[in-house]
Amino acid sequence: SQTIHQWPATLVQPVGSPLSLECTVEGTSNPNLYWYRQAAGRGLQLLFYSVGIGQISSEVPQNLSASRPQDRQFILSSKKLLLSDSGFYLCACRGTPGIEQYFGPGTRLTVT
Amino acid sequence: QQQVKQSPQSLIVQKGGIPIINCAYENTAFDYFPWYQQFPGKGPALLIAIRPDVSEKKEGRFTISFNKSAKQFSLHIMDSQPGDSATYFCAASTPQSKAAGNKLTFGGGTRVLVKP
């Protein structure tokens, strides 16, 4: 079965600082990978997804970017954080073959 | 047409009660309907899923009922326990190719509180 790792678990960053969140996946190959953001007490907003190395699709225009340098590595970045970037960031994976989408443990980001 | 509408937003039941969460959709191309359970500070966990060729699926105390003609599906938690207190999300997807992303469309979530 798939295992999804995310780090860091929590992060407090000042406005204007850069961001790098990492997600790695074990137990599958050639997965689809996803970044979601969840505001406090709210639903799941899909930010980016990737169907392969170097292939990134953006769902919403924003201050963030994503990269996939390796098959099972997905990175979420920002050059300058905004207060509105605070939230709970979740990486998800859909393995090949398979239909189920599994989530990682998440990263809590607070921008101060 | 891609929306999944989930209700209620929150629900309080006594231990042993049966919380019922409902989801409705418009896109008749949806063919996979999973439910996720999320505890505070944790990532959502896949709970149970159903395809439109069956009307009901049970896994332990969790049951999905599916009404294709009404374009609705629901989650029932039988003999609910305080440990079931969590936020539940329904979702749906169309039969996309891997290259198209296999994206899920999520409902807004339901916060369930089971009182002891």
Side-chain angles (χ1 to χ4, degrees):
Chain A
S1 63
Q2 302 159 32
T3 302
I4 303 170
H5 301 282
Q6 286 188 247
W7 63 88
T10 60
L11 191 59
V12 180
Q13 291 283 92
V15 168
S17 64
L19 173 74
S20 181
L21 303 181
E22 189 165 345
C23 169
T24 58
V25 179
E26 295 177 358
T28 188
S29 59
N30 192 28
N32 278 5
L33 298 174
Y34 310 84
W35 278 114
Y36 291 84
R37 177 169 58 202
Q38 187 174 33
R42 304 293 294 274
L44 299 159
Q45 180 187 31
L46 179 63
L47 303 176
F48 301 94
Y49 68 93
S50 171
V51 301
I53 296 173
Q55 301 178 67
I56 306 297
S57 297
S58 174
E59 287 293 289
V60 292
Q62 59 208 314
N63 184 43
L64 302 169
S65 62
S67 62
R68 184 170 175 176
Q70 300 181 47
D71 182 46
R72 289 172 286 179
Q73 184 185 29
F74 204 20
I75 297 172
L76 185 68
S77 304
S78 173
K79 292 182 179 178
K80 289 185 177 181
L81 283 168
L82 306 172
L83 284 174
S84 58
D85 292 324
S86 293
F88 192 45
Y89 287 83
L90 291 153
C91 179
C93 169
R94 175 173 165 157
T96 305
I99 192 171
E100 298 85 5
Q101 188 173 127
Y102 297 99
F103 285 84
T107 294
R108 174 76 58 192
L109 171 67
T110 303
V111 182
T112 60
Chain B
Q1 193 179 19
Q2 280 296 103
Q3 277 190 319
V4 176
K5 296 182 179 179
Q6 184 171 346
S7 63
Q9 286 188 318
S10 63
L11 194 51
I12 301 174
V13 298
Q14 292 295 130
K15 177 182 173 182
I18 305 176
I20 301 172
I21 306 168
N22 300 298
C23 287
Y25 62 96
E26 289 296 324
N27 188 349
T28 55
F30 284 146
D31 74 337
Y32 172 66
F33 302 90
W35 285 89
Y36 287 84
Q37 178 189 56
Q38 185 180 29
F39 294 107
K42 306 294 184 182
L46 180 61
L47 193 58
I48 186 173
I50 198 168
R51 296 276 207 172
D53 54 343
V54 297
S55 60
E56 186 175 278
K57 183 174 181 179
K58 294 182 181 181
E59 284 190 12
R61 295 183 293 105
F62 299 92
T63 299
I64 300 179
S65 297
F66 187 83
N67 186 330
K68 188 174 182 178
S69 60
K71 291 183 285 186
Q72 295 177 350
F73 57 110
S74 60
L75 178 71
H76 301 228
I77 307 175
M78 304 301 188
D79 186 28
S80 61
Q81 302 296 313
D84 297 327
S85 297
T87 300
Y88 294 82
F89 292 95
C90 64
S93 70
T94 59
Q96 303 169 21
S97 66
K98 181 185 184 306
N102 303 131
K103 294 177 288 182
L104 288 173
T105 299
F106 282 90
T110 297
R111 188 172 296 180
V112 174
L113 175 63
V114 181
K115 289 190 170 182

